[in-house]
Amino acid sequence: MRDMTTARCWHLSRYRTLFFSCSLFITLAFCVHLIPHFPSISASLSPAAAAISSDSCILSLQSVNYSGVVERLPNKSWDWAVSNCGFRKLNKSQVSDLLNGSWIVVAGDSESRLTALSLLISLMGFEIPERVLEDLFKRHDDYPFRLKDIDMKLDFLWSPYTDNFTQYISQLRQNKTCPDFILFGAEIWEMLYVHNATQYGASLKALRENLLALMSEIRNSRSLPHLFWIGMPEMVTALLGTADWRTKLGDEMRHLYDNELMGSKLLSDNGGPFFKLDLHRLSDSCGRNCTGDGIHYDELVYDSAVQIMFNALRIESDRKPR
């Protein structure tokens, strides 16, 4: 089975070059429970709190524009489509303050792996050691990362099926522990290798029940975790490798799976616990020139998703009563 997270012909010695070229990167293939309060966010980023917390701005949080894409410029960039909401790209120092002492779990398929990579880039810049890249992009492997300077740990869990998430939540309940941040995302492998939308919906509902049970159990002993759902990006079917993939990842099947996700009430838009990082909307805005294989996109798409997550935390912090 082909690992969609790893470039098919890259050697480890070329990883460093990867991060200085978005065109190479792509071949590697509000949350209602944002309860814990991070004082450092308000202290360093609170101007325009009233604006960013307005309903119209919240709706605009995942509306971004990408520059230099059509022209295929080497230095592409992105920014929010609105300029009056106070959204900000956090720098390395601000991200370190935000995530200081945190335990982050990112679980899922190749899209989750690339999101985890962008989290690391937001903390370390593009000077990521080759050994980190080597370990993170091992085929179908988990990856534990520790940043001792800020006492932060990030665990990537290769979990391409939603049942993997339910098993992980059950493990947390058994161990009576919980991360500060949980980012889940699994749809591509479900569509390719299970190909049963009804079963996908049932597994999402089972995940929701298990997750709510965990949150009920820990509510009185600790802060609830920040929960984010990593959405599936736009599939450019013309670039997919086989006719089978073009069918299974096509618009018709996607709508079936998206409907199951919405019906599961996992997402905050439907009263659920997860704030969705809308990779479909972001990748569609970036367009076909941002992907080489029709599945994985330029780094700036995942960077915008991570920065949206940070700003979602800002919004919740600003809205919380003092």
Side-chain angles (χ1 to χ4, degrees):
M1 188 179 296
R2 184 172 69 168
D3 184 353
M4 296 185 296
T5 66
T6 316
R8 292 180 287 272
C9 60
W10 293 98
H11 297 287
L12 296 176
S13 61
R14 302 180 72 177
Y15 273 124
R16 189 174 299 278
T17 305
L18 165 71
F19 295 99
F20 296 94
S21 172
C22 290
S23 63
L24 300 183
F25 178 90
I26 57 178
T27 63
L28 284 172
F30 187 109
C31 177
V32 294
H33 291 289
L34 296 180
I35 302 300
H37 176 53
F38 290 89
S40 59
I41 303 177
S42 295
S44 59
L45 304 173
S46 60
I52 195 174
S53 296
S54 70
D55 290 340
S56 61
C57 284
I58 292 171
L59 292 174
S60 301
L61 181 58
Q62 304 203 66
S63 296
V64 305
N65 294 325
Y66 296 94
S67 302
V69 174
V70 175
E71 303 89 341
R72 298 183 183 274
L73 298 178
N75 296 319
K76 302 171 187 175
S77 62
W78 70 272
D79 209 339
W80 279 278
V82 297
S83 59
N84 60 343
C85 285
F87 301 143
R88 298 187 184 182
K89 297 180 184 179
L90 274 63
N91 59 34
K92 289 192 293 183
S93 175
Q94 292 165 335
V95 174
S96 294
D97 288 342
L98 172 64
L99 302 181
N100 184 45
S102 296
W103 174 22
I104 304 168
V105 169
V106 183
D109 54 23
S110 56
E111 302 302 327
S112 297
R113 196 192 299 268
L114 292 171
T115 302
L117 177 58
S118 280
L119 270 170
L120 293 181
I121 292 174
S122 72
L123 282 162
M124 305 172 67
F126 289 97
E127 300 292 329
I128 297 179
E130 288 185 9
R131 62 172 181 78
V132 173
L133 298 174
E134 176 184 355
D135 290 342
L136 179 59
F137 283 92
K138 280 182 178 177
R139 184 178 177 85
H140 299 178
D141 270 359
D142 300 342
Y143 174 61
F145 175 78
R146 303 294 180 265
L147 195 58
K148 294 181 180 179
D149 291 347
I150 60 171
D151 190 29
M152 186 218 77
K153 59 180 180 178
L154 185 152
D155 293 326
F156 171 75
L157 306 179
W158 173 250
S159 307
Y161 303 108
T162 50
D163 285 345
N164 299 140
F165 303 154
T166 302
Q167 294 166 8
Y168 178 69
I169 296 298
S170 297
Q171 180 183 338
L172 293 178
R173 294 179 65 188
Q174 182 178 355
N175 295 339
K176 300 185 183 304
T177 186
C178 189
D180 302 294
F181 294 80
I182 297 176
L183 288 78
F184 283 165
E187 197 165 352
I188 295 175
W189 279 54
E190 292 275 0
M191 295 174 70
L192 284 176
Y193 303 118
V194 179
H195 200 55
N196 188 322
T198 302
Q199 181 177 325
Y200 178 66
S203 65
L204 291 171
K205 291 173 183 176
L207 169 61
R208 182 179 186 274
E209 291 177 3
N210 216 1
L211 178 63
L212 293 180
L214 169 67
M215 297 176 77
S216 177
E217 292 164 3
I218 67 173
R219 188 179 300 275
N220 295 327
S221 60
R222 53 152 291 159
S223 298
L224 297 179
H226 307 274
L227 302 174
F228 294 91
W229 189 267
I230 301 169
M232 175 179 166
E234 170 72 10
M235 297 288 106
V236 183
T237 53
L239 297 178
L240 300 181
T242 67
D244 183 55
W245 280 34
R246 289 191 288 273
T247 298
K248 290 181 176 178
L249 296 177
D251 289 341
E252 181 178 352
M253 291 305 302
R254 186 200 181 96
H255 290 322
L256 291 176
Y257 276 74
D258 284 350
N259 288 340
E260 292 293 340
L261 177 58
M262 297 300 291
S264 69
K265 296 185 178 180
L266 263 179
L267 304 181
S268 56
D269 289 344
N270 299 96
F274 283 94
F275 177 85
K276 183 180 180 180
L277 300 175
D278 197 347
L279 285 188
H280 181 264
R281 183 174 180 179
L282 298 173
S283 59
D284 187 54
S285 295
C286 203
R288 181 169 176 163
N289 285 348
C290 289
T291 179
D293 61 5
I295 298 176
H296 309 101
Y297 281 76
D298 284 358
E299 189 273 333
L300 77 166
V301 171
Y302 303 96
D303 174 61
S304 59
V306 167
Q307 289 290 341
I308 286 168
M309 181 183 79
F310 295 153
N311 278 263
L313 295 170
R314 285 186 61 209
I315 290 173
E316 186 60 24
S317 178
D318 289 336
R319 282 187 155 192
K320 185 176 179 180
R322 303 300 180 195

